[in-house]
Amino acid sequence: MDRDPLGDARALVADRYPQAVWAVLAGSVLTAHRTAGSDLDIVVALPLGDALAPRRESLVFREWPVELFVHDGQTLDAWLGKERLERKPTLFRMVGCGTAIVGDPAGRQAECRAVLEAGPEPLGPAQLERVRYGLTDLLDDLVHATDPGERQVIAAALWKDAAHCALVAADRWDGTGKWLLRELRAHDPDLAGRWLAAQPDPAAIEAFARNILDRLGGPLFDGYQAVAPRPEATKPA
């Protein structure tokens, strides 16, 4: 735990990507959340058109587990755009809140922090209906499940889905794994506590999910439609 993550991360980038325009070290290794298993999350920006971008690498360097996220300006823009649509700002957070170890990413970091602070775009009507329908369907499955094993599996799926939907209802960024809980806590610590407490009890999960569904506008099944674009016709040979 007394190793220098900044120095080691800087040495790794210099060794593997000496052409880097800038790089940042992010993640729990620089925070109070650091543990003995914390890794080095490093975002590397290469010159535009570099053949090594985009890529993700996992490796061990000086006993550190390392995750490298390698982009050039074009691929970074594309990936950030994808994250905004998915409402899961992993790369935004790494770049915006990371510590520079190579070059000067200040401009890009300011852009990412501004997006994080603004929050995601509200869902459109069709997207919101899809969320309501999905949560309604899981609740219905749980209520009518008779097989104990199936009920347990459905409850687990509903528990996690209800947390994602709670963030949708609040127009907050979403997350996966530990970031799902962190986003919930940042939004509403009491809600996050009730979500965690419900986990072992299918009845409590059902009650929590119904509360979230009400925040989204209530159950949706009868009359729901999801229209998809027609696939392009295959030209005859």
Side-chain angles (χ1 to χ4, degrees):
M1 296 291 286
D2 58 349
R3 291 172 293 167
D4 174 22
L6 288 169
D8 289 342
R10 192 174 290 113
L12 173 60
V13 174
D15 178 63
R16 295 186 71 85
Y17 297 104
Q19 75 275 39
V21 177
W22 56 261
V24 297
L25 174 63
S28 59
V29 72
L30 298 176
T31 73
H33 294 291
R34 179 177 174 178
T35 69
S38 292
D39 57 9
L40 304 182
D41 292 324
I42 305 173
V43 181
V44 181
L46 301 181
L48 188 63
D50 194 298
L52 295 179
R55 67 177 56 213
R56 176 173 176 171
E57 288 189 83
S58 300
L59 53 92
V60 176
F61 181 79
R62 295 182 181 176
E63 300 184 6
W64 290 102
V66 181
E67 296 280 4
L68 286 156
F69 304 86
V70 184
H71 290 278
D72 67 10
Q74 184 179 39
T75 66
L76 183 59
D77 284 339
W79 202 263
L80 291 173
K82 180 175 179 288
E83 285 195 349
R84 291 188 80 166
L85 289 174
E86 295 176 349
R87 304 166 70 89
K88 295 178 181 178
T90 304
L91 191 56
F92 276 105
R93 189 173 287 109
M94 284 194 290
V95 174
C97 304
T99 299
I101 54 175
V102 174
D104 182 10
R108 180 67 83 165
Q109 288 187 296
E111 293 173 7
C112 288
R113 285 195 295 268
V115 170
L116 287 171
E117 292 168 6
E121 293 290 331
L123 291 185
Q127 295 171 301
L128 184 57
E129 285 190 350
R130 185 164 61 247
V131 171
R132 290 171 59 201
Y133 174 81
L135 193 57
T136 300
D137 189 51
L138 274 174
L139 268 166
D140 187 64
D141 282 348
L142 181 64
V143 168
H144 296 100
T146 56
D147 180 280
E150 290 185 1
R151 181 172 172 79
Q152 183 178 359
V153 170
I154 295 165
L158 178 60
W159 180 72
K160 184 177 291 187
D161 198 56
H164 292 298
C165 291
L167 294 170
V168 168
D171 285 331
R172 300 282 299 200
W173 291 114
D174 201 356
T176 56
K178 61 189 177 186
W179 274 103
L180 177 56
L181 177 58
R182 290 179 184 179
E183 293 289 357
L184 275 177
R185 282 174 168 166
H187 162 54
D188 185 335
D190 180 66
L191 182 71
R194 287 190 284 117
W195 178 67
L196 287 173
Q199 195 273 334
D201 181 1
I205 292 172
E206 179 186 345
F208 182 90
R210 288 195 184 282
N211 176 264
I212 299 303
L213 188 55
D214 286 342
R215 300 184 187 197
L216 290 165
L220 178 61
F221 180 81
D222 188 23
Y224 174 69
Q225 296 184 36
V227 180
R230 290 179 59 85
E232 293 185 10
T234 304
K235 296 180 179 179

